[in-house]
C-alpha cells in the first residue's frame, strides 16, 4: 500500500518536482505564492526552503515559513506552505497557510489531507490558531478548509478569512 504523506524535498525528488511544475505551466494554472521554476536546480530549491524555515535570507516582508509537498507513490500531488507567524500583510491577504494541488490531482481529497497533516505541524511550530484565507468563489478551498474545522471569521471583498485550531 502506498502511503500519502507530507515530505520535505530532497535530491531524489528532482524529476518529480519537474513534472509537478510542468503540469502547472502547461495548464497555465498559477502556482500561487511559490518561487519555483523549471530553471532552478533541486539543490537551490532545497537550500532556499531550508533557509526560509530558519528565518534566513527571507525576501522583504516575508516571515519564517515551512514548505512541504504531498507525495503519493513518488508523485508530488500538492505543495503547502506554513508561515510561522503573521505580519500585517499576511493578516490581510495571506494567512498562515497556503496550498496548491496539481491540476490532475484535484477533487481527490489531496488538499483536505494535506491541510490536515500541515495542521499537525502547526502544533509543533507553536501556532495556536492558523489563519487560512481563500477567495469566496473558490468552492473547493472553502470545502477543504471547512472539512478541517475552519471557522469563518469574516467575508469581505470576495474573500473568506478562517481560523483553524491545530489538531
Amino acid at each position: 500500500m502506498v502511503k500519502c504523506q507530507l515530505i520535505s524535498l530532497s535530491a531524489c525528488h528532482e524529476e518529480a518536482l519537474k513534472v509537478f511544475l510542468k503540469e502547472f505551466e502547461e495548464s497555465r494554472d498559477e502556482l500561487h505564492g511559490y518561487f519555483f521554476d523549471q530553471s532552478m536546480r533541486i539543490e537551490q530549491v532545497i537550500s532556499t526552503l531550508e533557509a526560509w524555515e530558519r528565518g534566513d535570507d527571507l525576501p522583504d516582508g516575508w516571515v519564517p515559513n515551512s514548505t512541504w509537498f504531498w507525495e503519493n507513490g513518488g508523485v508530488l500531488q500538492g505543495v503547502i506552505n506554513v508561515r510561522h507567524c503573521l505580519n500585517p500583510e499576511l493578516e490581510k491577504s495571506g494567512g498562515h497557510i497556503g496550498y496548491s494541488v496539481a491540476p490532475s490531482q484535484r477533487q481527490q481529497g489531496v488538499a483536505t489531507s494535506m491541510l490536515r497533516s500541515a495542521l499537525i505541524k502547526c502544533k509543533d511550530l507553536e501556532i495556536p490558531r492558523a489563519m487560512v484565507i481563500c477567495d469566496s468563489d473558490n468552492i473547493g478551498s472553502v470545502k477543504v478548509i471547512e472539512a478541517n474545522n475552519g471557522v469563518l471569521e469574516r467575508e469581505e471583498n470576495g474573500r473568506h478569512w478562517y481560523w483553524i485550531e491545530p489538531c
Side-chain angles (χ1 to χ4, degrees):
M1 175 185 261
V2 175
K3 181 179 180 190
C4 301
Q5 61 185 345
L6 284 181
I7 55 106
S8 296
L9 284 180
S10 68
C12 71
H13 296 108
E14 184 170 19
E15 287 307 311
L17 181 60
K18 286 180 183 178
V19 170
F20 181 78
L21 295 174
K22 187 174 183 180
E23 186 172 339
F24 279 93
E25 184 180 305
E26 288 177 349
S27 71
R28 301 193 191 286
D29 195 354
E30 189 175 343
L31 184 59
H32 297 286
Y34 299 95
F35 72 100
F36 313 117
D37 67 47
Q38 292 283 6
S39 68
M40 292 181 75
R41 293 175 28 100
I42 189 81
E43 296 83 7
Q44 182 182 5
V45 173
I46 293 167
S47 68
T48 299
L49 293 177
E50 288 172 349
W52 290 352
E53 189 164 8
R54 292 188 309 270
D56 296 335
D57 302 323
L58 295 167
D60 286 342
W62 284 39
V63 300
N65 61 88
S66 299
T67 299
W68 297 283
F69 285 79
W70 191 251
E71 181 185 41
N72 181 358
V75 175
L76 301 179
Q77 297 179 304
V79 61
I80 193 161
N81 180 265
V82 176
R83 276 77 86 179
H84 300 179
C85 60
L86 296 177
N87 61 22
E89 184 61 32
L90 289 172
E91 288 176 357
K92 191 169 47 173
S93 65
H96 282 102
I97 301 173
Y99 53 86
S100 289
V101 175
S104 68
Q105 304 296 320
R106 293 181 183 156
Q107 298 183 359
Q108 299 176 39
V110 171
T112 301
S113 297
M114 189 168 57
L115 179 56
R116 184 176 302 116
S117 293
L119 288 165
I120 293 168
K121 292 188 178 279
C122 284
K123 196 171 187 177
D124 295 338
L125 292 168
E126 299 180 4
I127 298 171
R129 290 187 325 154
M131 178 186 283
V132 185
I133 302 170
C134 71
D135 291 338
S136 302
D137 63 356
N138 188 339
I139 304 306
S141 274
V142 168
K143 288 180 179 180
V144 166
I145 295 165
E146 291 179 354
N148 279 284
N149 301 314
V151 176
L152 183 64
E153 177 188 84
R154 70 182 190 273
E155 180 180 354
E156 62 185 53
N157 300 325
R159 306 208 71 201
H160 283 161
W161 278 258
Y162 287 91
W163 286 102
I164 306 175
E165 291 192 26
C167 317

